[in-house]
Amino acid sequence: MSDIAVKSKAEVTPQVSGNPKAAAALDDRLAAITMPDAGFSADARADAMVRLRAMGLPAPRDEYWRYTNPSAFNAATATALPFDADGAESPLFTGRDKLTLVFVDGAFDAAASDDLSLEGVEITTLAKADAAGDHWAAGLYGQLELAGQTPVKRPFAALNTAVAHDGLLIRVTGKPSKPVHVLYRRGTADADAVWHHVIRVEDGAELTLLESGMVGARSNGMLEVDLAKGAKLHHIAAKRANDPKVGLSHIFARVGAEAQLKSFTLAVNGTLMRHEGAIDIVGDDAVAHIAAAVLGDGNVGPFHHDDTVFITHGAERGESRQVFKKVLKNGATGVFQGKILVKQGAQKTDGYQISQALLLDDNSQFLAKPELEIYADDVKCSHGSTTGAIDEEALFYLRSRGVPYDRAIVFLVLSFLADALSEVEDDDLRDDINDRLEAWLTTPPQN
Amino acid sequence: MLKINNLHVKLEEEDKQILKGLTLEVPAGEVHAIMGPNGSGKSTLSYVLSGRDGYEVTDGEAELDGEDLLDMDPEVRAAAGLFLAFQYPVEIPGVGNMTFLRTAVNAQRKARGEAELTAGEFLKEVRVKAAELQISPDMLKRPVNVGFSGGEKKRNEILQMAMLSPRMCIMDETDSGLDVDAMRLVSEGVNALRSPDRSFLVITHYQRLLDHIKPDVVHIMSNGRIIKSGGPELALEVEQNGYADLLAEAD
């Protein structure tokens, strides 16, 4: 834990309007949280608290919560999990030159982390910046989250802004020689981990951000990303396999002119995960790609994985891709809710969205809500969503060459995921991910 | 080598009999060709022998070296020495041609109790064989059959055949979609594999392929049965006169 954040109990004002039961649930939720002692972020947090109170906690009747029951996220406290202190690094990133920053239950662990110095990058922590007062992130913290509240409300993102104690504030001014790797670890059995990172990549600068590990019994992570002209962020999150926690993750981004955002998530088994993305393309000729490869085995845990991603084109000649691939078995559930919104004047937009599920048995399900909303008249947008089983023709082809049935299935699963993996730009990293997936598929997953 | 006796096969999903008492024997070292009009059951025969789902054997048997083929899974048949060159080789995005082929070679070796090839041994062998078939290193690296032309796909089938060293090779219209040069390459690849303990069953519509791959025996198939067998001259007769006379003769 950081020793800088001073804790005080939330001051909870009972809500007077709305559904009293829902308001009471939010009060309970907030009462269980130790509020941070905010400095530079105080106003942003106060605003976030106001919008959270106005929105309330989500209910299954809310349009974007129909497929994922919010009760585990709404509950006042996290349900403790059997504690496994092993916060081992994802084998994906081992042996790679990188700057590793460790968070335990959402708080920065300086002792376990590398030194915060890397040429071309300024890094500090939210807790430290809050204690110090003024900070460059003052104009960004909670602002991208706020922008992402329209047109769909995202109460847990507002909650995150209001209550997060810690996170990284990263300003990239050059092209650092190695990636920044955030490694998450569990510290206690019932941790309700909340963290909030802000990343600002300046004109023409570039960063590769890696995330791995597992955290909390419940988690709520936020990544606010602001890309200036020609800036690039390549983000790869490898969720710890078989992580039993219930988790929410967010990426709220603003993509400037000629900037590129590429974000890829790998998730293997687990319990309940929801990933929300709100990407605003605000500059011309910008690129935003959001992708995920997900493997869910309902026998390992009651697997439910939800990607809810909105990309808004507000500038000309933008290119966006959403590529989501989920492989589900033994009662696993996959959810995809994705939208491409093209605003008036965002001409020559090229938007693409594909969400696909490979169901390995009859017990699993995929719920998809692909949407296009277009107000410009000279754009190219397409979306597709499919749910299918293993291709019998390809299966027979492989087996006819002597490849055993189980091994042939592994090949076909990897083949299915290939489009999502191709969103990982770094060839070595992509090969590593492919090898890792193959290992997971051929032997029972370890981590 | 391959013995098929009185084979009756229907489609699993519908009540349609495709093979109606097919009897055929291919001794070791021989090349047999099967010709016949569309819909006579040629492709079905190749699928049933290699173990594809969707067919039901209602009578008869098929043996490879005295072993009952029909009860084996497709991969077991492959390890036992059976190979089917597909009429339409399947594209598998995201799976490297080399990875796939090495997995197949080693799975068969393992199933037969032989030592698996190391990456180095495999690479050395595949490079030589690919070069003979004019398959570029780039094609080896690409995903299985993805972005391959029709000719490249068929050459890739022959490369697999060469690497897997099957004893009984079934070729399902391997000549379809091939230009003259590709047909020559594929045929040379096949001829190089001919040996006293390897047999071929070549399914084709055209005599032309048989100019390159010279058969010992030609069978004419119609309505789920072999209606006539003879030497290479039978293929020439079909080429010149069509099937009408042969079919009339069989009736």
Side-chain angles (χ1 to χ4, degrees):
Chain A
M1 290 290 288
S2 160
D3 55 0
I4 293 158
V6 180
K7 291 164 195 136
S8 61
K9 274 284 172 195
E11 285 178 31
V12 177
T13 327
Q15 185 156 324
V16 285
S17 63
N19 176 348
K21 212 172 135 190
L26 178 57
D27 289 343
D28 289 349
R29 183 79 165 81
L30 291 170
I33 294 172
T34 306
M35 295 298 281
D37 190 17
F40 84 94
S41 62
D43 291 349
R45 291 169 185 278
D47 289 350
M49 190 59 86
V50 170
R51 57 181 172 269
L52 173 61
R53 289 200 171 280
M55 289 184 267
L57 292 170
R61 66 173 180 277
D62 293 345
E63 191 180 353
Y64 290 94
W65 285 94
R66 279 189 194 145
Y67 300 146
T68 297
N69 187 334
S71 59
F73 301 120
N74 286 345
T77 53
T79 305
L81 294 170
F83 187 68
D84 165 13
D86 174 23
E89 190 172 359
S90 163
L92 274 178
F93 303 139
T94 47
R96 192 167 281 275
D97 191 21
K98 59 197 182 296
L99 185 83
T100 295
L101 305 172
V102 178
F103 278 73
V104 180
D105 290 341
F108 182 61
D109 182 341
S113 299
D114 291 339
D115 192 36
L116 293 185
S117 68
L118 178 62
E119 200 176 326
V121 187
E122 288 169 27
I123 306 173
T124 187
T125 63
L126 175 58
K128 206 169 186 173
D130 258 334
D134 216 17
H135 196 268
W136 61 261
L140 289 176
Y141 185 90
Q143 296 310 302
L144 303 181
E145 175 261 298
L146 170 61
Q149 295 291 353
T150 318
V152 174
K153 60 183 187 178
R154 299 163 185 278
F156 294 113
L159 174 73
N160 181 298
T161 296
V163 310
H165 282 253
D166 213 347
L168 292 169
L169 307 177
I170 301 178
R171 183 165 165 260
V172 189
T173 53
K175 295 178 179 176
S177 58
K178 54 188 173 184
V180 170
H181 173 218
V182 187
L183 176 60
Y184 300 98
R185 286 184 182 150
R186 294 186 67 193
T188 50
D190 62 349
D192 198 3
V194 183
W195 65 93
H196 191 123
H197 304 312
V198 179
I199 297 181
R200 157 84 181 171
V201 187
E202 301 291 356
D203 284 15
E206 295 180 18
L207 180 72
T208 296
L209 178 72
L210 309 174
E211 290 184 285
S212 72
M214 71 177 176
V215 57
R218 182 167 69 180
S219 67
N220 180 344
M222 166 64 75
L223 186 58
E224 282 184 303
V225 176
D226 189 31
L227 301 183
K229 188 178 179 190
K232 284 186 186 172
L233 179 72
H234 194 197
H235 170 232
I236 296 160
K239 310 270 184 192
R240 176 74 185 274
N242 305 338
D243 187 346
K245 67 129 190 270
V246 298
L248 278 167
S249 55
H250 302 89
I251 179 166
F252 283 48
R254 179 164 66 191
V255 187
E258 295 161 36
Q260 288 191 12
L261 171 68
K262 296 202 172 169
S263 176
F264 171 85
T265 302
L266 174 69
V268 179
N269 299 333
T271 303
L272 171 61
M273 281 173 280
R274 174 158 160 131
H275 182 61
E276 294 200 12
I279 315 298
D280 263 339
I281 294 180
V282 299
D284 294 339
D285 303 294
V287 172
H289 293 191
I290 309 291
V294 174
L295 296 179
D297 181 347
N299 281 354
V300 178
F303 186 86
H304 183 108
H305 192 282
D306 174 340
D307 282 289
T308 297
V309 176
F310 282 42
I311 295 186
T312 303
H313 286 265
E316 293 192 7
R317 298 178 301 279
E319 178 205 305
S320 71
R321 285 172 69 83
Q322 297 173 47
V323 183
F324 289 84
K325 300 268 190 164
K326 304 194 181 196
V327 182
L328 306 166
K329 65 176 176 183
N330 294 320
T333 298
V335 175
F336 173 76
Q337 307 182 99
K339 180 181 266 195
I340 307 172
L341 170 63
V342 182
K343 288 185 174 172
Q344 208 168 5
Q347 302 295 17
K348 308 284 182 195
T349 285
D350 181 357
Y352 174 76
Q353 180 196 87
I354 185 83
S355 61
Q356 295 182 302
L358 176 61
L359 305 183
L360 296 179
D361 55 37
D362 294 338
N363 304 326
S364 302
Q365 60 172 345
F366 181 55
L367 305 160
K369 185 173 191 285
E371 295 176 278
L372 285 181
E373 198 175 323
I374 302 173
Y375 298 100
D377 58 7
D378 184 14
V379 302
K380 189 173 90 182
C381 283
S382 63
H383 66 172
S385 184
T386 65
T387 305
I390 285 283
D391 177 356
E392 291 294 332
E393 177 83 13
L395 181 60
F396 173 61
Y397 186 67
L398 292 169
R399 295 178 77 194
S400 78
R401 297 302 181 250
V403 178
Y405 178 88
D406 289 348
R407 181 67 207 166
I409 296 289
V410 170
F411 272 140
L412 295 175
V413 168
L414 291 173
S415 172
F416 171 78
L417 294 172
D419 276 354
L421 256 61
S422 70
E423 292 295 326
V424 176
E425 267 188 0
D426 184 317
D427 290 348
D428 290 344
L429 209 45
R430 187 174 53 243
D431 289 348
D432 281 1
I433 292 173
N434 200 65
D435 292 350
R436 193 69 201 136
L437 278 169
E438 197 171 325
W440 269 324
L441 289 163
T442 31
T443 55
Q446 298 301 319
N447 50 38
Chain B
M1 174 84 63
L2 179 68
K3 258 190 199 172
I4 305 167
N5 182 37
N6 191 33
L7 192 62
H8 287 71
V9 172
K10 70 181 265 297
L11 292 180
E12 220 163 52
E13 300 272 304
E14 48 187 299
D15 202 20
K16 190 179 173 192
Q17 199 74 30
I18 311 280
L19 300 185
K20 303 169 181 174
L22 186 139
T23 299
L24 177 70
E25 185 173 349
V26 185
E30 292 191 4
V31 174
H32 287 214
I34 295 186
M35 301 180 80
N38 292 323
S40 54
K42 303 186 298 295
S43 287
T44 295
L45 174 64
S46 71
Y47 286 143
V48 170
L49 290 176
S50 49
R52 187 183 166 127
D53 284 344
Y55 302 97
E56 189 185 330
V57 175
T58 52
D59 199 7
E61 50 279 328
E63 289 177 354
L64 181 66
D65 291 327
E67 276 191 86
D68 180 9
L69 265 183
L70 301 176
D71 275 346
M72 298 180 194
D73 281 336
E75 58 267 37
V76 179
R77 298 182 198 204
L82 191 79
F83 181 91
L84 170 64
F86 278 49
Q87 183 179 359
Y88 303 108
V90 181
E91 296 185 10
I92 307 179
V95 177
N97 213 12
M98 294 277 268
T99 310
F100 154 62
L101 191 47
R102 192 174 153 217
T103 305
V105 167
N106 279 338
Q108 289 202 15
R109 294 181 73 98
K110 195 175 166 189
R112 290 193 292 259
E114 299 163 14
E116 295 182 27
L117 294 184
T118 64
E121 288 165 344
F122 172 80
L123 205 62
K124 205 171 148 192
E125 198 177 328
V126 81
R127 277 194 185 136
V128 172
K129 288 182 168 150
E132 285 166 4
L133 288 159
Q134 294 183 16
I135 289 175
S136 67
D138 175 58
M139 266 174 71
L140 290 177
K141 272 189 225 150
R142 273 189 277 166
V144 180
N145 293 323
V146 176
F148 288 26
S149 70
E152 286 173 335
K153 282 181 183 169
K154 296 297 172 74
R155 275 187 275 150
N156 199 32
E157 293 290 283
I158 305 305
L159 174 66
Q160 292 173 33
M161 190 192 278
M163 289 300 296
L164 293 166
S165 302
R167 303 196 56 229
M168 180 71 229
C169 307
I170 302 169
M171 301 175 63
D172 187 8
E173 296 195 28
T174 296
D175 51 336
S176 71
L178 290 188
D179 62 31
V180 183
D181 293 333
M183 185 164 336
R184 186 180 45 78
L185 262 177
V186 163
S187 305
E188 281 169 5
V190 171
N191 288 332
L193 291 171
R194 290 182 71 158
S195 86
D197 58 359
R198 180 174 290 132
S199 309
F200 291 83
L201 188 60
V202 180
I203 295 170
T204 181
H205 273 293
Y206 302 103
Q207 196 270 334
R208 201 172 58 171
L209 179 68
L210 305 180
D211 282 342
H212 296 282
I213 304 172
K214 297 223 160 28
D216 299 295
V217 179
V218 174
H219 305 278
I220 305 300
M221 186 168 172
S222 170
N223 196 20
R225 257 182 293 212
I226 301 296
I227 56 166
K228 189 168 186 178
S229 300
E233 71 285 351
L234 195 52
L236 284 167
E237 192 186 326
V238 167
E239 187 81 357
Q240 278 159 16
N241 307 330
Y243 293 110
D245 293 350
L246 293 167
L247 297 184
E249 198 182 309
D251 287 341

